[in-house]
Amino acid sequence: MNKLSIVFMGICLVVTAACKKKHDDGTTVKQANREPLIGNIGYNVIYGRYLNLQTAFNDFDTEVQAFTAAPTTDGLQTLRSKFYKAYVAWEYVAQFEFGPATASTVMLETKSVNAFPSDTALIKTKIESGLTNIPSTGSATYSGFPTIDYLLYQKSQTDQQIVDSFSVSSLASRRCDFLKAVSSNLKTRIETTFKNWNSSGANFIVIYTSNTGIDLGSSTSQTINMMVSDLENVKNYKLGVPLNIIQNAVLDPSVVNPFKCEGYHSDSSLVLAKASIEAIRRLYRGITVNGIDAYGFDDYLVAIDQRELDTNIQLQIARVEAKLNAIPGPISTAVQDPAGKQAVQAAYDETLTLLTMLKVDMASAIGVMISYGDTDGD
């Protein structure tokens, strides 16, 4: 064997070793080409979802300007319809809390723009004080989607009374200004995030699709971590808290928390929970915003000889969806009825099983470390 061949073999051995990753038990993690995975998710899933959110929310914000200029019951219904579309569109980007969304000047994160329940007493105080600017920090309990949900839907008032609160009440002008401020703040956060994903801003899409590793900070790692984190939010807050479950334990079986549901005022808690799971399912399978089933984590698992795990994950997602479909009406109402409460509990249990599959089994199979902060011990 000549020296050139020896040198070439040495280089091959170094490259091969560099491409291997070991589990904690010393076994090697099989890997495959991740460019199709990250490329599809970046360009056809994340980018498209942010575009959809921006379009939906801009449409809502335009309607806010029209409604506050001349409040009517018909205008309120139109405004609610556009808000519903924007809220659902948000659920489809809640898995992407990395990169532009986490910038300190933006903070388009669940804890900042979808912290439910909102503090209704504080909202009233802010309206009374004439607040017209939403600060970038410390405003989560009186801004974001839950606050708009409260402003447009109040269970104790008729539609006409809500319209009157924006038109003829003593605080009508301040209520209008506050709604416009909350909407404008969210619009800016969404627009800035999307801008920094494309070439008109930081062009993070290029950074994302170029980072094909599986180390901490890689695109694969961040996407899996935040997909799992979002599922954890579904389990803990959309299903768990209404059932009075904290850290997988029921604090008091005789107590439920309907008022702490997402979308409580609009009775959209179940719709939003379903949207969250559907968003995770489509992300897992790499389904584009146009509905094309492209390269996703399911394909990657098959590529690394984890077909059985992929099958189990997809079956478990289907079980979660089936249990959610079995819940009668909004979650806030269901938990107050024995049969409904049992249905929510069943959805919670299946979500916990899915969480374990993604957080432990899938992450381990791909070789990604779960590093986001969580405290419920899963």
Side-chain angles (χ1 to χ4, degrees):
M1 184 179 294
N2 61 39
K3 291 183 179 179
L4 183 59
S5 297
I6 294 173
V7 171
F8 178 74
M9 285 186 65
I11 292 174
C12 288
L13 287 172
V14 170
V15 172
T16 301
C19 292
K20 290 182 178 180
K21 182 180 178 67
K22 292 185 179 296
H23 288 293
D24 292 338
D25 61 6
T27 58
T28 301
V29 177
K30 184 170 183 178
Q31 299 188 50
N33 182 14
R34 283 179 293 277
E35 289 183 6
L37 173 68
I38 297 305
N40 178 54
I41 289 177
Y43 283 107
N44 301 319
V45 180
I46 298 176
Y47 189 90
R49 289 187 184 184
Y50 271 121
L51 176 59
N52 284 349
L53 174 61
Q54 178 177 267
T55 300
F57 202 87
N58 284 354
D59 197 20
F60 168 73
D61 185 68
T62 298
E63 197 63 36
V64 167
Q65 309 309 314
F67 173 77
T68 53
T72 64
T73 53
D74 286 344
L76 178 63
Q77 293 305 320
T78 301
L79 189 60
R80 285 171 170 174
S81 176
K82 293 183 183 297
F83 173 65
Y84 170 83
K85 292 179 181 178
Y87 209 163
V88 170
W90 154 256
E91 303 293 353
Y92 278 78
V93 304
Q95 305 89 43
F96 309 133
E97 293 189 5
F98 50 81
T102 59
S104 60
T105 55
V106 179
M107 294 188 294
L108 187 67
E109 304 164 289
T110 295
K111 65 182 180 182
S112 299
V113 303
N114 195 31
F116 57 88
S118 56
D119 188 334
T120 57
L122 184 57
I123 291 171
K124 292 176 182 178
T125 298
K126 296 298 181 181
I127 291 173
E128 291 170 356
S129 69
L131 181 68
T132 57
N133 179 58
I134 305 299
S136 58
T137 59
S139 61
T141 58
Y142 63 88
S143 66
F145 289 96
T147 292
I148 297 174
D149 184 74
Y150 166 70
L151 291 173
L152 302 186
Y153 302 84
Q154 295 193 38
K155 294 179 181 295
S156 62
Q157 296 185 347
T158 65
D159 287 357
Q160 186 59 58
Q161 288 174 320
I162 293 174
V163 169
D164 289 345
S165 72
F166 285 99
S167 57
V168 298
S169 74
S170 60
L171 294 173
S173 62
R174 293 187 179 185
R175 183 176 292 272
C176 287
D177 289 343
F178 183 73
L179 174 60
K180 288 189 288 186
V182 173
S183 180
S184 176
N185 176 263
L186 253 180
K187 178 184 176 183
T188 298
R189 294 187 188 206
I190 293 167
E191 287 182 338
T192 303
T193 300
F194 180 60
K195 176 182 178 181
N196 285 327
W197 268 95
N198 63 54
S199 58
S200 64
N203 210 17
F204 189 77
I205 188 71
V206 173
I207 298 173
Y208 180 88
T209 54
S210 299
N211 190 346
T212 59
I214 53 175
D215 55 304
L216 287 176
S218 67
S219 298
T220 300
S221 175
Q222 291 186 92
T223 304
I224 290 176
N225 266 272
M226 291 301 100
M227 177 168 58
V228 172
S229 176
D230 190 47
L231 182 60
E232 193 121 47
N233 284 333
V234 174
K235 177 182 75 72
N236 289 345
Y237 301 107
K238 300 188 182 196
L239 300 173
V241 168
L243 290 167
N244 205 28
I245 297 176
I246 303 296
Q247 294 187 358
N248 298 331
V250 179
L251 298 186
D252 183 341
S254 67
V255 175
V256 291
N257 301 301
F259 305 107
K260 294 184 179 181
C261 283
E262 180 183 27
Y264 168 74
H265 302 282
S266 59
D267 285 332
S268 59
S269 52
L270 183 56
V271 171
L272 295 173
K274 288 180 179 180
S276 293
I277 297 301
E278 175 65 7
I280 289 170
R281 183 186 73 84
R282 293 169 73 90
L283 171 60
Y284 174 78
R285 292 185 56 176
I287 298 176
T288 72
V289 292
N290 296 322
I292 299 172
D293 192 348
Y295 202 103
F297 290 100
D298 57 337
D299 301 291
Y300 186 79
L301 286 176
V302 171
I304 60 172
D305 297 332
Q306 293 287 339
R307 185 181 296 274
E308 183 179 358
L309 175 57
D310 167 55
T311 298
N312 290 338
I313 289 173
Q314 296 208 48
L315 288 173
Q316 189 58 35
I317 293 174
R319 291 188 188 100
V320 173
E321 292 176 326
K323 294 303 182 183
L324 287 173
N325 288 333
I327 296 174
I331 295 171
S332 55
T333 301
V335 294
Q336 299 180 69
D337 171 77
K341 182 181 178 182
Q342 185 176 10
V344 177
Q345 179 70 58
Y348 175 92
D349 293 340
E350 295 294 355
T351 303
L352 175 57
T353 299
L354 175 61
L355 179 63
T356 301
M357 286 184 175
L358 297 183
K359 189 175 182 180
V360 179
D361 301 335
M362 185 181 81
S364 177
I366 294 176
V368 166
M369 180 183 295
I370 297 299
S371 57
Y372 72 89
D374 75 276
T375 58
D376 78 351
D378 291 332

